Amino acid sequence: MSYLEEIQVKNLDHLGIVAGLIDEIGIVKIINNKLGIDVREKISAGTVVKSILINGLGFVSRPLYLFSQFFQDKAIEKLLGERIKPDYLNDDKIGRVMDELYKYGLNDIFIEVVLEVIKKFKIDLKYSHLDSTSFHLDGEYKREEDKEKQEEEKIIKERPIFIKKGYSRDHRPDLKQCVLDLITSQDGDIPLFVRVGDGNESDKAVFGKVLVEFKKQIKFDSIMVCDSALYGQENLQIIQHLKWITRVPMTIKKAKKLVQNIEVEEVKDEDKEKRSDLNLESYTWKEEIVTYGGIKQTWLIVLSEKRQKSDLEKLEKQLSQEEKKSQKFLKEIQSEEFEHPQAARYKLKAINKKLRLLEIKEVELIENYSKKKEKIYKMISLIIKKDEEISRKTKEVGKFILATNLVEENKLEASEILITYKNQQSTERGFRFLKDPLFFTDSFFVEKPERIETMLFLMSLCLLIYNLGQRELRNCLKRVKKGINNQVGKVTLRPTLRWIFQCFQGIHYVILNGVKQIVNLTEERRFILSLLPASCQRYYL
């Protein structure tokens, strides 16, 4: 045997961190307890799920049908266990495990994983954030529609989802899609609840039910935060026993009237420094007690200076565009010959429906004769501004309303309501992660809706693992009061876990004459490992 044949070099890179986080949570054990272990199988369902999660967080854009190839150059026995080979992870095995997960109940498995994370890592659940997004899909996904629409069905459905066209957040209305509802903790953006819905599902129709179901599953006294899709009389009745903060849509007459008429309070000098410390120096507000949908609540009317400037620019742009459009309409109507005065006025009315801030007004109808000696009418008109509408919109710029049912003894400070709502970006960050082109959302090649739901369940587990690792790292850096260099060489206490993954590229698992060792483990990498759970360290040290 030659010297070269006695050396095996496998890539470990950042995958040991991912595997360690999976071990620390106990995902393999949870899956195996749920689905059972068949002694005839070479690899358990829990280990297959672990391999999918490692693949998903490999950030190499390899879909599941290239699964075994992904592990060809990886330290698979180190990551998944001795005697496990890449060819054990074939399409048939992965497909069977995905079907078993779906059959058992994706929601039940996810909730158990979440409860374990909450308990083990002491996740603060004072605030939870709900939002939704859509995933567009290629393929037919033909399914027989239920003859009777199940309007009263539970929010956790027994039937598979319908892949169909609907409102697309991806700006792809031409493609069929499904919808993902996501609830995250404000503490570390940890996914707490995921639900996959039909492609044409409306947020307004399901958000109230989603929150109620979430509270049944995770019995913690969390204040639920959501955007304006939640705010409606029916939803407020559904969630009346929950604590919530949401945004009030400006389509509500009471909200529109309040925004136009109320004067936001000036900031007192003694409050300016406090607001600056909270990063709220560009906000002013006023509180009102309001009853809507039979629920007593606090409405916080907020004025944002940045948004006010942006809204004014948009209003000026809209006015400028309408001026150009109205000049074209004016020329059109003044050059046209009408058989009757009513026809001219009908045309004018139709034109004005297309304008919001301007109006074309009739000055005079001139009676005349055409070349064929037929009586015709021509309209003389002019463009005027809708001063009342422009004034109303000017009063609205930069303002929005936040509502909460926490009043009287449960009352929150106005600054806390605003800060909490601004953290609604928690779910948005999750959606950006799931839709990253380096993630395996492109692998939506599966043909059945059940597999789509299972894929999104697995992707949500990836998000949970990623955000948990990032939270733990940042909390440890804060405790030791020592930062690490970011991408541009500046010391930070809040690095992204993706950057840490990049820092671990080039770590190899080497077997030389039967002796196993990790190479390229620098002092900086050792320091980072010391900040991560012990399960991560075991893959490297």
Side-chain angles (χ1 to χ4, degrees):
M1 186 181 292
S2 70
Y3 177 73
L4 289 176
E5 289 174 330
E6 296 175 6
I7 299 177
Q8 292 183 51
V9 180
K10 297 290 185 181
N11 295 327
L12 184 59
D13 300 327
H14 68 281
L15 300 181
I17 296 174
V18 177
L21 290 168
I22 294 168
D23 295 346
E24 194 75 17
I25 296 168
I27 292 175
V28 173
K29 183 179 179 181
I30 291 171
I31 299 293
N32 285 339
N33 285 343
K34 297 291 186 186
L35 303 187
I37 298 176
D38 188 339
V39 293
R40 296 168 298 177
E41 296 281 1
K42 295 178 180 178
I43 183 170
S44 71
T47 305
V48 171
V49 169
K50 181 179 181 180
S51 69
I52 293 172
L53 301 178
I54 290 172
N55 186 5
L57 290 168
F59 295 123
V60 292
S61 193
R62 291 207 184 199
L64 291 188
Y65 59 82
L66 295 177
F67 204 78
S68 57
Q69 288 93 319
F70 172 82
F71 281 102
Q72 285 293 346
D73 62 347
K74 305 296 187 298
I76 187 168
E77 292 190 10
K78 179 77 172 169
L79 294 167
L80 299 180
E82 292 184 10
R83 295 185 296 278
I84 291 181
K85 308 298 179 187
D87 57 5
Y88 294 177
L89 301 166
N90 53 60
D91 293 350
D92 290 339
K93 180 62 180 178
I94 294 168
R96 284 199 303 274
V97 170
M98 290 179 75
D99 292 341
E100 287 173 21
L101 290 168
Y102 183 86
K103 187 177 179 181
Y104 184 88
L106 303 174
N107 181 64
D108 291 344
I109 298 171
F110 194 84
I111 289 296
E112 184 157 339
V113 172
V114 166
L115 291 173
E116 187 66 25
V117 168
I118 291 169
K119 179 182 175 182
K120 186 173 285 187
F121 296 92
K122 296 179 173 58
I123 307 298
D124 183 359
L125 295 178
K126 183 176 181 180
Y127 295 109
S128 303
H129 298 262
L130 166 65
D131 207 346
S132 71
T133 192
S134 58
F135 287 84
H136 62 264
L137 303 151
D138 298 311
E140 289 299 317
Y141 300 99
K142 291 181 179 178
R143 271 192 71 240
E144 195 72 28
E145 286 271 9
D146 289 351
K147 290 183 180 178
E148 295 182 8
K149 185 65 179 174
Q150 304 174 33
E151 293 187 7
E152 299 301 320
E153 69 183 9
K154 294 179 181 179
I155 200 70
I156 302 300
K157 296 172 286 191
E158 295 179 0
R159 63 168 176 82
I161 57 170
F162 291 114
I163 308 297
K164 54 173 61 179
K165 292 181 181 179
Y167 172 68
S168 174
R169 282 81 164 178
D170 295 331
H171 308 293
R172 290 300 307 268
D174 55 313
L175 294 178
K176 292 181 179 180
Q177 63 178 27
C178 63
V179 170
L180 178 72
D181 300 316
L182 175 67
I183 296 177
T184 60
S185 67
Q186 187 164 302
D187 176 15
D189 300 347
I190 305 299
L192 303 174
F193 187 85
V194 291
R195 174 186 167 274
V196 186
D198 300 340
N200 64 344
E201 189 172 85
S202 164
D203 292 349
K204 292 180 181 179
V206 301
F207 270 7
K209 297 174 186 176
V210 168
L211 291 183
V212 170
E213 185 64 34
F214 169 67
K215 292 296 286 186
K216 285 181 186 175
Q217 302 278 348
I218 299 184
K219 296 177 181 177
F220 291 93
D221 193 25
S222 192
I223 298 170
M224 310 309 303
V225 187
C226 190
D227 64 19
S228 60
L230 178 67
Y231 200 89
Q233 295 197 33
E234 185 178 343
N235 276 338
L236 293 185
Q237 289 299 317
I238 292 172
I239 63 170
Q240 60 180 309
H241 301 300
L242 306 181
K243 298 175 181 178
W244 49 263
I245 296 171
T246 186
R247 185 168 171 168
V248 181
M250 284 299 124
T251 51
I252 294 175
K253 288 181 181 179
K254 185 181 285 191
K256 191 170 284 191
K257 185 177 179 182
L258 198 57
V259 162
Q260 290 168 12
N261 297 327
I262 201 164
E263 289 296 326
V264 176
E265 297 172 350
E266 290 289 327
V267 184
K268 297 176 182 177
D269 290 338
E270 58 265 30
D271 291 333
K272 286 182 178 179
E273 186 175 348
K274 182 180 177 182
R275 293 195 186 185
S276 179
D277 292 340
L278 296 171
N279 199 26
L280 297 176
E281 62 268 24
S282 64
Y283 294 91
T284 50
W285 54 74
K286 185 178 173 94
E287 294 183 64
E288 291 283 318
I289 299 296
V290 172
T291 299
Y292 182 79
I295 308 295
K296 186 178 181 182
Q297 50 201 272
T298 299
W299 276 16
L300 187 68
I301 301 93
V302 183
L303 173 64
S304 163
E305 289 180 9
K306 291 179 182 177
R307 181 170 174 171
Q308 186 180 40
K309 183 180 178 182
S310 173
D311 287 353
L312 281 172
E313 288 174 357
K314 288 177 183 175
L315 186 61
E316 288 172 7
K317 186 177 179 181
Q318 184 184 352
L319 189 57
S320 175
Q321 288 173 341
E322 281 210 6
E323 283 173 350
K324 293 177 183 177
K325 189 190 291 185
S326 58
Q327 287 289 349
K328 183 181 175 183
F329 288 149
L330 180 68
K331 187 176 180 180
E332 180 185 323
I333 199 168
Q334 289 193 148
S335 62
E336 193 167 343
E337 297 177 347
F338 299 95
E339 294 181 1
H340 305 285
Q342 293 90 335
R345 289 176 181 133
Y346 182 81
K347 176 72 177 279
L348 182 62
K349 186 178 180 181
I351 284 174
N352 280 326
K353 282 183 178 179
K354 299 175 183 177
L355 301 173
R356 295 286 179 268
L357 305 176
L358 301 173
E359 183 180 13
I360 298 177
K361 192 170 184 179
E362 176 189 337
V363 176
E364 185 181 3
L365 268 176
I366 300 174
E367 186 180 306
N368 211 330
Y369 289 91
S370 67
K371 294 178 180 178
K372 296 180 180 179
K373 305 299 182 182
E374 295 173 342
K375 187 182 286 188
I376 59 165
Y377 296 87
K378 297 196 77 170
M379 178 178 281
I380 304 298
S381 50
L382 57 81
I383 300 168
I384 61 170
K385 287 184 178 180
K386 294 182 181 177
D387 291 327
E388 190 175 326
E389 180 68 12
I390 293 171
S391 174
R392 182 183 67 78
K393 282 191 170 290
T394 303
K395 288 178 181 178
E396 290 177 5
V397 295
K399 292 179 183 174
F400 58 94
I401 299 177
L402 301 178
T404 178
N405 63 340
L406 295 167
V407 295
E408 298 170 354
E409 68 272 11
N410 295 319
K411 190 175 185 299
L412 293 173
E413 289 288 330
S415 57
E416 187 171 358
I417 295 171
L418 181 54
I419 289 170
T420 302
Y421 186 79
K422 286 176 69 180
N423 284 325
Q424 183 67 2
Q425 295 174 354
S426 170
T427 49
E428 288 297 329
R429 286 189 288 268
F431 295 144
R432 284 198 297 272
F433 175 91
L434 293 173
K435 294 186 176 189
D436 192 301
L438 288 177
F439 200 39
F440 65 111
T441 48
D442 287 338
S443 60
F444 273 2
F445 61 91
V446 286
E447 297 178 355
K448 297 191 296 183
E450 293 92 329
R451 292 274 183 92
I452 296 294
E453 289 189 61
T454 308
M455 182 70 78
L456 280 166
F457 157 78
L458 293 166
M459 289 164 61
S460 299
L461 280 181
C462 286
L463 175 62
L464 186 151
I465 293 160
Y466 180 90
N467 283 351
L468 179 64
Q470 186 168 267
R471 173 188 181 271
E472 290 303 292
L473 177 67
R474 290 176 175 181
N475 285 348
C476 283
L477 285 170
K478 189 177 179 182
R479 280 198 297 272
V480 301
K481 297 179 181 178
K482 184 177 179 181
I484 60 175
N485 289 335
N486 63 13
Q487 294 91 321
V488 293
K490 291 185 178 180
V491 176
T492 178
L493 294 174
R494 293 181 57 80
T496 65
L497 194 62
R498 177 167 297 194
W499 169 241
I500 300 303
F501 287 174
Q502 288 178 285
C503 292
F504 273 65
Q505 296 304 297
I507 295 181
H508 302 299
Y509 181 63
V510 177
I511 303 174
L512 177 59
N513 294 328
V515 179
K516 302 172 183 178
Q517 58 183 323
I518 306 294
V519 298
N520 293 337
L521 199 58
T522 63
E523 285 303 313
E524 181 187 35
R525 288 166 173 169
R526 288 178 182 272
F527 171 66
I528 292 170
L529 283 171
S530 72
L531 304 170
L532 292 168
S535 297
C536 298
Q537 299 170 25
R538 282 198 289 269
Y539 285 89
Y540 298 92
L541 303 178

